[in-house]
Amino acid sequence: MSFLDQLNPEQRRAAQILSGPVLILAGAGSGKTRTLTHRLAHLIASGTPAHRILAVTFTNKAAKEMKERTARLIGEARAASLWIGTFHSICARILRRDAHLLGYDARFTIYDSDDSLTLVKRIMRDHGTLDDSLKPGIVRARISEAKAFLLTPEEYARNRKGPAAAVIADLYRRYQAALISNNAMDFDDLLALPVRLFRTQPEVLEEYRNRFQHLLIDEYQDTNQAQYVLVKMLAESHHNICAVGDDDQSIYGWRGADITNILNFENDFPDATVVRLEQNYRSTRTILKAAGAVVRNNRKRKVKELWTQNDPGDHLTIAELVDEKDEAEWIRERLVRLLEDGHSYGDIAVLYRTNAQSRAIEEAFVRSSKPIPYTVVGGLRFYERKEIKDVLAYLRVIDNPRDSESLRRIVNVPRRGIGEKTMALAAERMGATGLPLLDALRTLEEHELGPRAYKPINEFIRWLDALIANKGEMAVDELLEKILTDTGYRAQLEQDGSVEAETRLQNIGELVAGATAYVEANNEPNVSAFLQDIALVTDADEVQTDGGSSVTLMTLHSAKGLEFPVVFVSGMEEGLFPIAGSLQDAAELEEERRLFYVGLTRAQKLVFLSYAQRRRRFNEWANTQPSRFLREIPDELLKWDTRSTEEPGRHILDQRRFREDGFVGVRGTSTRRIPTVGDEFSQESSYADDFSQTTDSFLAIGHHVMHPMFGRGRITAREGLGLDTKLTIHFDSGQTKKILVRVAHLEPCV
């Protein structure tokens, strides 16, 4: 077929194998999406009905792009019935139809990680286990791990040892019972419950096996045990499975991904055909050589050698700086030079291992004589903001009245006089009757509460019941507008008048606009589908690279799947990258190395690497050693950037340090070997994932700042990271305000 002529020989081979198991090892920048869309198009053009193909991606954005590209190749009508989406969206689709077989209503609510943690905290509080000995976050992580491995609470108790195992198993049981009572599922349930459905309802499994004659699973290296089992069950009868991925880009082991799924594919399917996509279209030869030299140090990998017809390109630039402030300033200086050389802001990404590292870089950009516009990826997600979660909680209750957790969130938000006594009586009634919270509130009578307490709860329930009864007659955006107006939520923010309140109003406006766009784009829009779409938005879906208006700052994990002409990788230090926890574990260290490989292969033209001699850890200075990954890059691919001018208050590196054995000149700059890291690595130079913020910035507690509206004030408290930092400021006017840094336009003052 003519559209296959657009592919290189290996891509074409991958697209043309239409039966049996196929493993496509797609190296970074090798045209994977093009290959997959052409394979889908070829399947349909060869006679396979689109509705008999299941294609699974790891982001909604990737699913949309794949469907649109396929439609362009063969026409929208032929591609329209493709089942394509993320694991979570596909599983949610299955469960909307069949969840009743597992004791759920089709209108189940999907809880995000914050909702899940809130529920765990409440259960621990109610059962007296909320203390310093066992953190809710740990409990939630263990429950998530159990579900990823398809373990019930009873199986978890049998399989896990240690004093906390029995307690966690009991909390897991209570947590799951609460989810069922609320007619809710967490993200892990969306994957685990279809497996249970297929195991307990073989006729349902057979139906889906017959429906999906061809499976295409993208990013196979990132699948966990539940996803692996689900795919195996669906492919069991026909073995028409095409797994696509790159073991060298497996970087999510910390959240349950199992690299052995892709490494053992040929054991699972002995008749599998393996196709290697090794021609890279993204990066220069030098970048590919450097990345390949690093990743070849891993033992658990499939052999592949990326190559390219692109130019050799420039050497990778490396710099040793004094501390994180010096490093940030160096990044800023190099960035300014890149702009002078013709690059745009949108060409450039600054990558780091932990979110906390962005602070120093952000400050350097803001304080630049010409401030550098930037976007931080991976901060507080839009749908995790308080005002958004509040408003969506109203929608959740209207759609699923059994959702007691969402009702708890909004029963007195904004304040309407429903107090703790009322809620305590309702909780008692829930415990005695097993009723959902809303039904328990309905049973409360005036003589139990008194007229003053009864009136607000009665009015609230009548208002809520009216919306529940009439939700089908209102578009989602109309329903949101009614909630915001009737509850006084919008009016309260308008009356506040603070900068933070204005930001919250803007966010709410964006939510309503999104709902309007959803209504316009869907033939049969409804609240359930809208809430599901929102719940299944991934971090990657929210990444915006805006084509030139700002520099992108993000963690290396967030950069997966993206590309930029210029990439900075900062913090190349032992204990930071690789992270300290990986240094004693071979598998984790290999994953850190793969993460560095991912960082390098995001770059098209230029790579800049930096490390600091010292860095603050827990507000104390710690000396550092350069990352072992730097030593794994051949010297001939590196050039050193050294400072030659003294700047006030800056410690300048001794230039003689760059004249050691192994010194060679490259393009007018100096190069040297990376210092060797021995087994004597000191723990005092290691770092935790959550770096403390340095307190020498003007945003430190105790410092005075100037606010454009409230005037001069003193910082009394600080929470959060980067531009999601919130400051509590006591102003000279006598007011005390909580201020969001990213919108406050604060200036230092005495």
Side-chain angles (χ1 to χ4, degrees):
M1 295 167 187
S2 60
F3 56 75
L4 296 178
D5 294 338
Q6 305 169 21
L7 307 179
N8 70 35
E10 288 305 300
Q11 291 174 337
R12 191 180 306 117
R13 181 169 173 244
Q16 288 180 313
I17 303 172
L18 301 185
S19 62
V22 180
L23 175 61
I24 302 176
L25 294 173
S30 62
K32 178 187 70 172
T33 303
R34 171 186 287 261
T35 304
L36 298 189
T37 54
H38 281 70
R39 179 181 172 85
L40 286 175
H42 186 49
L43 269 170
I44 297 169
S46 299
T48 302
H51 69 274
R52 293 201 174 272
I53 302 171
L54 173 63
V56 184
T57 65
F58 263 74
T59 69
N60 298 295
K61 190 181 294 182
K64 182 182 179 184
E65 182 184 4
M66 196 176 295
K67 193 164 188 175
E68 288 174 349
R69 286 198 190 186
T70 304
R72 285 198 294 269
L73 291 173
I74 60 171
E76 289 188 13
R78 299 177 76 182
S81 56
L82 266 173
W83 272 60
I84 183 167
T86 64
F87 269 107
H88 289 93
S89 66
I90 294 293
C91 289
R93 186 173 176 179
I94 292 171
L95 291 169
R96 290 292 178 196
R97 196 197 78 165
D98 295 314
H100 66 280
L101 298 172
L102 299 174
Y104 290 85
D105 186 282
R107 295 176 299 172
F108 59 82
T109 300
I110 300 172
Y111 281 1
D112 63 21
S113 54
D114 185 57
D115 301 322
S116 299
L117 185 59
T118 299
L119 180 56
V120 167
K121 286 179 180 177
R122 185 179 64 75
I123 292 170
M124 293 179 72
R125 189 181 302 110
D126 291 348
H127 294 87
T129 54
L130 188 61
D131 55 48
D132 292 337
S133 63
L134 190 59
K135 301 294 184 183
I138 297 295
V139 175
R140 176 68 191 94
R142 295 293 176 268
I143 293 173
S144 180
E145 179 187 52
K147 290 185 179 183
F149 283 96
L150 303 172
L151 299 176
T152 65
E154 295 72 27
E155 290 168 334
Y156 180 88
R158 291 196 299 269
N159 283 273
R160 296 295 185 269
K161 308 297 182 185
V167 176
I168 292 174
D170 183 60
L171 291 170
Y172 177 13
R173 180 179 59 78
R174 297 179 186 275
Y175 170 81
Q176 204 60 28
L179 285 176
I180 295 172
S181 175
N182 290 344
N183 192 35
M185 301 179 188
D186 61 23
F187 286 156
D188 300 301
D189 285 329
L190 292 180
L191 303 178
L193 289 178
V195 175
R196 187 197 303 176
L197 175 70
F198 290 164
R199 285 173 172 173
T200 59
Q201 309 291 330
E203 70 282 359
V204 176
L205 171 60
E206 192 62 26
E207 180 184 347
Y208 280 104
R209 278 178 176 170
N210 291 332
R211 177 190 292 258
F212 301 132
Q213 293 297 306
H214 290 271
L215 307 179
L216 190 154
I217 314 298
D218 193 13
E219 305 288 358
Y220 196 71
Q221 78 280 352
D222 294 330
T223 52
N224 64 16
Q225 179 68 10
Q227 292 162 331
Y228 168 78
V229 171
L230 186 65
V231 168
K232 284 264 297 183
M233 292 175 83
L234 289 172
E236 190 68 33
S237 57
H238 52 69
H239 284 198
N240 290 331
I241 176 174
C242 176
V244 187
D246 181 6
D247 52 297
D248 288 335
Q249 297 186 70
S250 178
I251 59 174
Y252 297 117
W254 51 275
R255 68 184 190 193
D258 188 350
I259 192 175
T260 62
N261 292 344
I262 192 169
L263 295 178
N264 293 337
F265 185 86
E266 293 155 274
N267 295 331
D268 293 330
F269 302 96
D271 55 337
T273 300
V274 180
V275 182
R276 287 174 167 80
L277 304 184
E278 296 174 309
Q279 183 175 359
N280 176 284
Y281 295 92
R282 176 186 299 156
S283 306
T284 66
R285 289 183 226 168
T286 299
I287 293 171
L288 287 187
K289 286 180 182 178
V294 171
V295 81
R296 278 194 293 272
N297 287 279
N298 279 354
R299 295 182 179 180
K300 290 185 177 181
R301 64 183 296 265
K302 290 185 175 290
V303 177
K304 66 188 79 66
E305 293 291 336
L306 293 190
W307 62 277
T308 184
Q309 293 178 340
N310 295 339
D311 294 335
D314 205 354
H315 289 69
L316 283 68
T317 300
I318 185 170
E320 180 182 71
L321 293 312
V322 178
D323 52 31
E324 62 258 44
K325 188 175 181 180
D326 191 32
E327 181 183 46
E329 180 60 20
W330 176 80
I331 291 171
R332 187 198 67 80
E333 291 173 359
R334 291 307 306 238
L335 198 151
V336 169
R337 279 191 249 169
L338 288 166
L339 295 172
E340 292 171 350
D341 290 340
H343 287 281
S344 66
Y345 292 116
D347 286 345
I348 303 166
V350 182
L351 310 182
Y352 34 77
R353 180 61 178 83
T354 67
N355 277 305
Q357 291 170 255
S358 76
R359 183 212 40 92
I361 301 167
E362 290 178 56
E363 288 188 359
F365 287 6
V366 170
R367 292 179 178 181
S368 179
S369 58
K370 181 183 178 182
I372 295 170
Y374 64 92
T375 301
V376 180
V377 175
L380 186 63
R381 294 172 57 204
F382 179 80
Y383 293 110
E384 292 175 347
R385 301 181 189 279
K386 178 186 181 304
E387 62 277 12
I388 302 301
K389 290 188 75 72
D390 286 346
V391 177
L392 290 179
Y394 277 98
L395 279 187
R396 284 177 164 187
V397 174
I398 292 167
D399 185 56
N400 173 23
R402 286 170 53 187
D403 186 354
S404 299
E405 292 307 307
S406 293
L407 182 58
R408 283 187 176 91
R409 183 179 186 99
I410 51 91
V411 71
N412 203 38
V413 176
R415 294 188 180 279
R416 53 177 61 93
I418 301 174
E420 293 182 4
K421 180 183 176 183
T422 300
M423 297 308 294
L425 281 172
E428 186 178 322
R429 194 68 48 86
M430 285 179 70
T433 63
L435 291 171
L437 180 58
L438 183 57
D439 289 337
L441 286 169
R442 288 194 180 100
T443 68
L444 300 180
E445 300 181 5
E446 187 172 355
H447 69 85
E448 296 178 276
L449 299 172
R452 188 174 177 182
Y454 180 73
K455 182 180 177 181
I457 191 64
N458 185 50
E459 289 179 348
F460 176 64
I461 290 174
R462 283 195 290 112
W463 173 81
L464 199 57
D465 283 344
L467 288 184
I468 292 171
N470 297 309
K471 70 173 183 178
E473 301 175 8
M474 303 174 68
V476 178
D477 51 347
E478 294 173 339
L479 190 55
L480 282 172
E481 286 287 359
K482 186 168 179 59
I483 291 168
L484 291 167
T485 302
D486 289 359
T487 63
Y489 198 104
R490 178 188 281 127
Q492 185 183 67
L493 291 173
E494 289 172 344
Q495 292 167 11
D496 185 302
S498 69
V499 176
E500 183 175 354
E502 178 60 31
T503 302
R504 294 188 186 280
L505 280 168
Q506 291 174 2
N507 289 337
I508 289 171
E510 184 67 24
L511 177 65
V512 176
T516 301
Y518 168 81
V519 170
E520 292 172 350
N522 289 273
N523 294 326
E524 297 181 3
N526 61 75
V527 175
S528 294
F530 176 71
L531 288 171
Q532 178 170 303
D533 282 359
I534 286 174
L536 298 181
V537 170
T538 67
D539 291 338
D541 293 321
E542 292 197 308
V543 173
Q544 299 293 330
T545 53
D546 51 16
S549 63
S550 65
V551 177
T552 301
L553 275 59
M554 65 175 79
T555 65
L556 286 132
H557 285 98
S558 298
K560 176 87 179 305
L562 303 177
E563 61 183 39
F564 301 87
V566 183
V567 167
F568 288 81
V569 184
S570 63
M572 296 295 305
E573 300 140 28
E574 288 288 296
L576 176 52
F577 193 26
I579 206 73
S582 70
L583 298 177
Q584 305 303 321
D585 186 292
E588 291 183 15
L589 185 60
E590 289 207 350
E591 180 158 315
E592 290 287 295
R593 183 174 284 111
R594 293 193 294 269
L595 185 59
F596 184 45
Y597 173 85
V598 166
L600 291 177
T601 55
R602 298 313 90 197
Q604 297 169 320
K605 301 292 185 183
L606 297 172
V607 172
F608 296 88
L609 307 168
S610 59
Y611 64 95
Q613 293 177 317
R614 62 176 187 169
R615 195 175 293 268
R616 282 190 184 271
R617 178 177 178 261
F618 305 123
N619 213 31
E620 294 183 356
W621 289 109
N623 294 327
T624 71
Q625 298 184 51
S627 170
R628 66 189 67 199
F629 301 153
L630 295 177
R631 291 187 290 112
E632 294 171 357
I633 302 173
D635 290 344
E636 65 270 17
L637 304 178
L638 294 171
K639 64 177 180 180
W640 283 80
D641 186 353
T642 65
R643 296 178 183 271
S644 59
T645 57
E646 183 86 16
E647 295 183 29
R650 185 183 302 274
H651 170 69
I652 298 298
L653 303 177
D654 184 351
Q655 300 299 309
R656 289 175 297 178
R657 297 184 62 190
F658 295 89
R659 297 180 172 88
E660 305 171 342
D661 291 340
F663 175 94
V664 292
V666 177
R667 300 191 181 183
T669 65
S670 61
T671 69
R672 68 181 178 94
R673 298 189 186 280
I674 307 297
T676 300
V677 180
D679 296 333
E680 71 281 2
F681 172 71
S682 171
Q683 286 298 316
E684 78 174 354
S685 65
S686 67
Y687 304 87
D689 281 333
D690 54 342
F691 289 88
S692 63
Q693 307 229 16
T694 59
T695 56
D696 60 352
S697 84
F698 78 95
L699 297 179
I701 294 173
H703 285 203
H704 286 87
V705 292
M706 183 64 69
H707 188 280
M709 182 179 296
F710 304 115
R712 182 178 180 273
R714 181 175 174 273
I715 300 171
T716 59
R718 177 173 177 162
E719 58 184 289
L721 294 172
L723 290 187
D724 286 316
T725 299
K726 280 185 182 177
L727 302 174
T728 302
I729 303 175
H730 182 71
F731 292 98
D732 292 354
S733 63
Q735 296 175 291
T736 298
K737 297 275 186 185
K738 274 198 172 184
I739 303 292
L740 196 62
V741 167
R742 61 184 160 84
V743 298
H745 304 294
L746 298 172
E747 297 289 341
C749 72
V750 295

